[in-house]
Amino acid sequence: MEKMEWNDDKAKAIVQKHKKRFSWKLSFNVIRVLLGIVLVYAVYMISVSIIYDATNVGKRNEFYQKLAVDWTYPGYTSSISVDSTNEINPLLTQKIEFPLIKIIGKEEFAITKVSLNKPLIDSYSTTTVNEYFPYSSHKEFTFSLPYNPVTNVKLNETETPDVWNQLEHVHEGNVAQLAFSINDYSSPEELLDLVSSYQVDVLWMPVYMGELKNFTEGGWSGSENDITLAKPWGLAGFKHVDEDFNITYSTTNLNTETVKESQEIMLKNMERMLKEDKNLAETLLGTDYLQQRYDYLQKEGFQVYGAVVTGPVKQLLKLKEVGGVHNAKLGEIKPWNWIEQ
């Protein structure tokens, strides 16, 4: 038998041969593990998405957020268009995004997008808007209460001659939004009758829900003779949804044909929120008193004390002569688009 000679070159060759085998085997195992992880992740995400869609959790939360916009953003409304995002990530945080709309005249303008990030814990949910969103403290529509909720003393009317003067100098070929208060509580139907002689659309009405009397939330500004709630709630056009939170029909205006249904659907939606997920609803609405607000409306009915309207600027100017109208606030102005539909 021939004796095998051992030297450094042969040793290196053997080591290199086994090193390559080990390297290929290791690479194959790594690839197999990575493919396994990808497969598990894909199955996990598919399962999460199927459950997310099947349970309608995303649709429900999107609907809650849209109601929060409709009820607490005077002069704005939430879009019902398909231009929205509703998804869930691997950590089970939901991301919901939809356009924020402002109606000026007869046209809808997408101002920015509302974004809701909702993790598993409801209280950590956050609602944000684009940094260029013009809905800031100095541009909000505010409304003066007609009575002091604590003493029930009649409050003074707020004069705003600069608003009416500005409207006088705006060319008649424009439309705009205008907010105003009235000097007494009225039903939504009575307020509609108050402005029925003018070519304006009513978009939103601040509703008194027992603030400062039954609960204190968000604070107020003004003086002993003028009280303005920091965060008014209001009646808006309704969104009717089925049991799966699909919007079946909706309206953005309050008129004689829709105002009664708007009140009924608002109460129905508040009741639904209280039964389904009160904590989440209150988080998105920014309140700790949803039950108290609902109970007050059920007992006392809808008492409104102002409105956000839109229409031709010269029609808005005529509201100056309406008895009880005061504390006017002029919103955004746009070129003429007042085409009766």
Side-chain angles (χ1 to χ4, degrees), residues 6 37-38 60 63 67 84 109 115 134 154-155 215 268-269 278 310 333:
W6 186 263
I37 293 173
V38 170
R60 181 198 66 180
F63 182 58
L67 290 181
S84 62
F109 296 87
S115 298
K154 191 82 169 66
L155 298 173
F215 60 89
K268 179 180 176 181
N269 285 330
K278 177 175 177 288
T310 187
I333 301 169

Side-chain angles (χ1 to χ4, degrees), residues 25 107 169 175 178 201 236 290:
K25 187 174 181 180
E107 190 172 349
H169 290 88
V175 294
L178 182 79
D201 287 341
L290 182 58

